[in-house]
Amino acid sequence: MIDCSAPGKVYLFGEHAVVYGEPAIACAIDLRTHVSVEERSDDIIEITAKDLELKAPIARTTIDTREGIKLEGCLDSLNSFDYIRASCDKVFEISDQSKGVNIIIESDIPVAGGIGSSAATTVATVHALLKLFDIDATRREIADIGYSVEKEVQGSASPCDTFTSAMGGVTKVEPNVSLKRLDKALTDFSFVIGLTGKPSPTSKLVKEVKELKQKNPDVILPIIETIGKLSRRGETLIKEGRFEEIGELMNVNQGLLESLGVGSDKLSNLIYSARKTGALGAKITGAGGGGCMLSLVRSSDANTVSNAMEIIGTSKVSNVESEGVRLE
Amino acid sequence: MIDCSAPGKVYLFGEHAVVYGEPAIACAIDLRTHVSVEERSDDIIEITAKDLELKAPIARTTIDTREGIKLEGCLDSLNSFDYIRASCDKVFEISDQSKGVNIIIESDIPVAGGIGSSAATTVATVHALLKLFDIDATRREIADIGYSVEKEVQGSASPCDTFTSAMGGVTKVEPNVSLKRLDKALTDFSFVIGLTGKPSPTSKLVKEVKELKQKNPDVILPIIETIGKLSRRGETLIKEGRFEEIGELMNVNQGLLESLGVGSDKLSNLIYSARKTGALGAKITGAGGGGCMLSLVRSSDANTVSNAMEIIGTSKVSNVESEGVRLE
């Protein structure tokens, strides 16, 4: 049995703008998805994923029929099983062989939109399957494979999610330019993540922002560019450990996300609740609409902020995770 | 007895950015302040203002001691009495004479921040006093006198408030360039104004935005410029009667105000409540922090939107007021 895990992530700056080539700053968090794989004697792929809020927690198929064939038990239109199936495809292709395999997923990452559950699942699955075939790969290579899996499943994807999950730590993603890990820990600071309990329909929201931009380019383009500036400024502030200013600019970023139309009343309530109870800054993380928000807090304030949020939704306290995908 | 009245106003676009020379679009609303003046036989100025939420509704002074002397009954640090006192000063100066006078204020405009209660009081008082001295003045002249009164009382002021109250209708204010009335009625559309019941500390908020801008000019300046673009685009849309797009851009403007840090949880709740119940757009009007928000609605939806807001705060349905300051 091979057990690998990979962390979830949050966006400190830059979601949505990253779609238009602006940089984004993400950060791995200490909530992880574990993927265990073991070879079977037959040609069946059986996936068990009890924590991923799937209508059926077990999916099954044979290797022969896997391509283009709905996994048994896979009832949702697009769900975690698709990422696992596509990861199998990709690794079978890379290794030029296939095996029947049991895949068991256990995850601490809420399936909530914006905190990287699918990227962590993908990256950990890829790593575990590569290990099963005895193929060595660097974290960066795993990130790239994970990205191609996400692109295949979603049609398009941000390289940020799989990169951050694979590499760990704080990362800067500049599409078509570079992905890099910033060597800075956010010691003494924690995140409190607020969950709305409502889905965050990423592709719908990305489309709506695109339409808004097409209708009002002279207004929306500068907003997108300004989000990019926040990411660049955020990079400097992170390197210099200037957390109060990071929080302040997270709040500015939140307003700009609101202006793109991806806010919601529940996200707003969680955000104001965090700010009122001591957060240095609070904003949507991910595509918005529903999903999650992120607050940056002094670790000593984490419980106070979290308790206040629990009145509105649910919350998770987490910290920067410096280690990316790993063999357990 | 001379009775004059002047309307309140809302900002469709541009508050805060107007401080930095960007244009703003305001609109007079059909909530009015009435000011009645009558000459007295002595040299006492007695002001009665029961609707202006003053700690003492009556203030009294003699002309001799009026300058620099606290009005009897005037307990608040800065309140409507100051505007009335300064209006007396200004008109006495213009007419080169003074008279003892009873001034009675009756107002439909909630004293709530952002809907122009002080500008309406000032403009109507100036007009009534000019009439008392038999001085003719155009609306534009009354606007200018009102602006100088507001500047004296507040230290600084936007010409937008007094201009819109004096002229009526939809107005565009471009500081140091022009103030103009847009000849377009918003027929079939109404405003539902939501009141947080909390003060909107204008000068504090203007100062905070200034500080945020000084700290992060590369981020905040483009936001301010983008608000200016919204006003310019708004002008075109108003002229062409494209109300759905006006609403959409009001929502964009709201996000940009949030990014400047002038939002609040209660404003947000009112804004999302309006959007959810049919408003075409909703945003803060005025300086924010507390005060009021504004939603643009189809007149047929006004009651639905208003009722939903009443769960959170209080609300007022109003319409564009085409007539500015007038003698009743």
Side-chain angles (χ1 to χ4, degrees), chain A residues 64 72 137 204 218 240 248:
Chain A
D64 283 350
E72 279 176 59
K204 180 173 168 276
D218 59 324
E240 295 175 0
E248 193 169 79

Side-chain angles (χ1 to χ4, degrees), chain B residues 7 67 71 119 131 133 141 144 150 152 162 269 293 303:
Chain B
E67 204 167 347
L71 291 161
K131 280 282 162 204
F133 287 104
E141 286 165 344
D144 289 342
E150 287 217 325
E152 193 208 304
T162 39
N269 284 337
M293 53 68 69
N303 284 337

Side-chain angles (χ1 to χ4, degrees), chain A residues 198 212 215-216 218-220 222-223 226 229-230 233 237 245 248-249 251-256 258-260 262-265 268-269 272-273 275-276, chain B residues 198 212 215-216 218-220 222-223 226 229-230 233 237 245 248-249 251-256 258-260 262-265 268-269 272-273 275-276:
Chain A
K198 292 176 185 174
L212 190 67
K215 259 173 90 176
N216 309 284
D218 59 324
V219 170
I220 301 302
I223 294 174
T226 305
K229 284 180 188 162
L230 286 171
R233 180 107 186 98
L237 296 175
E245 289 166 75
E248 193 169 79
L249 293 191
N251 291 343
V252 175
N253 197 157
Q254 168 57 22
L256 298 180
E258 284 270 356
S259 75
L260 296 179
V262 302
S264 83
D265 53 348
S268 243
N269 284 336
Y272 274 106
S273 167
R275 290 180 189 163
K276 278 190 166 179
Chain B
K198 292 176 186 174
L212 190 68
K215 260 173 91 176
N216 310 284
D218 58 325
V219 170
I220 302 302
I223 294 173
T226 306
K229 284 179 188 162
L230 287 171
R233 181 107 185 97
L237 295 175
E245 290 166 75
E248 193 169 78
L249 293 191
N251 291 343
V252 175
N253 196 155
Q254 168 58 20
L256 298 180
E258 284 271 355
S259 76
L260 296 179
V262 301
S264 83
D265 53 349
S268 243
N269 284 337
Y272 273 106
S273 167
R275 290 179 188 164
K276 279 189 166 179

Side-chain angles (χ1 to χ4, degrees), chain A residues 134-287:
Chain A
D134 218 16
I135 298 170
D136 281 330
T138 62
R139 283 189 167 131
R140 182 57 208 255
E141 286 164 344
I142 295 167
D144 289 341
I145 299 166
Y147 176 45
S148 69
V149 168
E150 287 217 323
K151 264 201 298 195
E152 193 207 305
V153 173
Q154 297 167 190
S156 68
S158 161
C160 186
D161 296 23
T162 39
F163 180 78
T164 308
S165 185
M167 305 302 284
V170 183
T171 59
K172 183 187 180 195
V173 175
E174 200 149 8
N176 309 321
V177 182
S178 66
L179 300 112
K180 67 176 173 180
R181 191 178 143 148
L182 307 177
D183 284 326
K184 187 81 197 179
L186 280 76
T187 352
D188 301 333
F189 291 85
S190 300
F191 298 124
V192 185
I193 297 164
L195 290 75
T196 61
K198 292 176 185 174
S200 172
T202 305
S203 54
K204 180 173 168 276
L205 290 159
V206 168
K207 190 165 159 268
E208 285 171 3
V209 171
K210 194 177 170 188
E211 285 165 2
L212 190 67
K213 178 174 151 282
Q214 279 168 342
K215 259 173 90 176
N216 309 284
D218 59 324
V219 170
I220 301 302
L221 261 175
I223 294 174
I224 287 167
E225 288 166 5
T226 305
I227 295 177
K229 284 180 188 162
L230 286 171
S231 293
R232 289 188 196 94
R233 180 107 186 98
E235 181 183 4
T236 307
L237 296 175
I238 287 161
K239 285 178 181 165
E240 295 175 0
R242 291 156 69 183
F243 295 101
E244 293 196 2
E245 289 166 75
I246 294 167
E248 193 169 79
L249 293 191
M250 284 170 69
N251 291 343
V252 175
N253 197 157
Q254 168 57 22
L256 298 180
L257 287 168
E258 284 270 356
S259 75
L260 296 179
V262 302
S264 83
D265 53 348
K266 198 153 183 186
L267 284 165
S268 243
N269 284 336
L270 287 163
I271 285 163
Y272 274 106
S273 167
R275 290 180 189 163
K276 278 190 166 179
T277 51
L280 300 173
K283 62 181 275 293
I284 290 164
T285 175

